[in-house]
Amino acid sequence: MKDYIQYLQEVLGLQNVMITPGETGAQKTSFFLPEGPFAPAEVQHAELVFLNILTQSKESLFLPETKDLFGKMKAAMKLKNLQVLELDCTVDSRGELPSELAKLIQARVVVVFSSFPKDIGELIIKGSGKWIETYSPAYLLEDPGAKKVVWNDLQKVMKELGL
């Protein structure tokens, strides 16, 4: 919850964040767009989802320095006519992530960005699509040497999507 409040303050610029005890609820996985929480009324469809796991507020895809690098990554992928969704998320258990995301989105491919990826570079079938984990753009700002690993992973995604 502390990370979520920090996210609201630092990324979205909200000055005072007040959450009543009932609002903290049992939901342990939360998804965010630049304008706030992502909670569509019905399941959305996308060909590609970029899902960025937040462990610190400075890792958001929507911060200026991260957004710039992420924009260059997407441009290199040539994603012209694809339905693409970009989300930050907080999660207590990565094991729950596929099922929680499936409640909101059906995607052909999900790219999971993390500072600590598991099963890095492996396209794995999860639910109705394929998932691949790799280093986040924020991580690449701190360790540019990992860019080659990420580019190889993104090329796998491009091949899967026929780009």
Side-chain angles (χ1 to χ4, degrees):
M1 184 54 65
K2 179 181 170 192
D3 287 339
Y4 175 63
I5 292 170
Q6 189 174 11
Y7 175 84
L8 292 174
Q9 292 171 334
E10 293 180 8
V11 176
L12 301 178
L14 300 176
Q15 296 302 315
N16 294 314
V17 178
M18 296 178 63
I19 298 177
T20 62
E23 291 176 329
T24 58
Q27 187 176 8
K28 296 177 182 178
T29 303
S30 300
F31 301 95
F32 306 97
L33 294 166
E35 55 275 3
F38 176 74
E42 57 187 49
V43 175
Q44 304 286 307
H45 297 277
E47 292 174 271
L48 176 61
V49 173
F50 290 103
L51 185 61
N52 185 52
I53 298 175
L54 295 173
T55 55
Q56 302 175 42
S57 61
K58 70 177 185 173
E59 295 175 339
S60 175
L61 286 178
F62 311 122
L63 291 173
E65 57 276 1
T66 308
K67 186 176 183 177
D68 182 52
L69 177 57
F70 182 48
K72 291 175 183 176
M73 293 163 67
K74 292 185 299 184
M77 292 178 74
K78 300 178 178 144
L79 303 172
K80 294 184 179 170
N81 296 318
L82 290 180
Q83 294 174 326
V84 178
L85 184 60
E86 303 161 9
L87 298 169
D88 278 342
C89 79
T90 57
V91 61
D92 284 341
S93 169
R94 284 190 193 209
E96 297 173 8
L97 192 55
S99 62
E100 291 296 319
L101 186 65
K103 293 175 187 175
L104 305 174
I105 305 164
Q106 286 207 344
R108 189 167 152 201
V109 178
V110 177
V111 176
V112 179
F113 289 131
S114 171
S115 293
F116 307 100
K118 299 184 188 288
D119 302 319
I120 190 164
E122 293 182 44
L123 271 169
I124 300 170
I125 296 174
K126 292 185 180 183
S128 62
K130 292 188 178 179
W131 288 52
I132 190 168
E133 283 198 44
T134 195
Y135 294 108
S136 69
Y139 181 86
L140 296 178
L141 292 172
E142 294 180 16
D143 184 3
K147 287 181 179 179
K148 184 174 182 175
V149 172
V150 174
W151 179 239
N152 287 336
D153 294 343
L154 294 179
Q155 286 178 318
K156 293 174 188 175
V157 171
M158 292 164 58
K159 184 177 179 180
E160 184 67 30
L161 294 170
L163 301 175

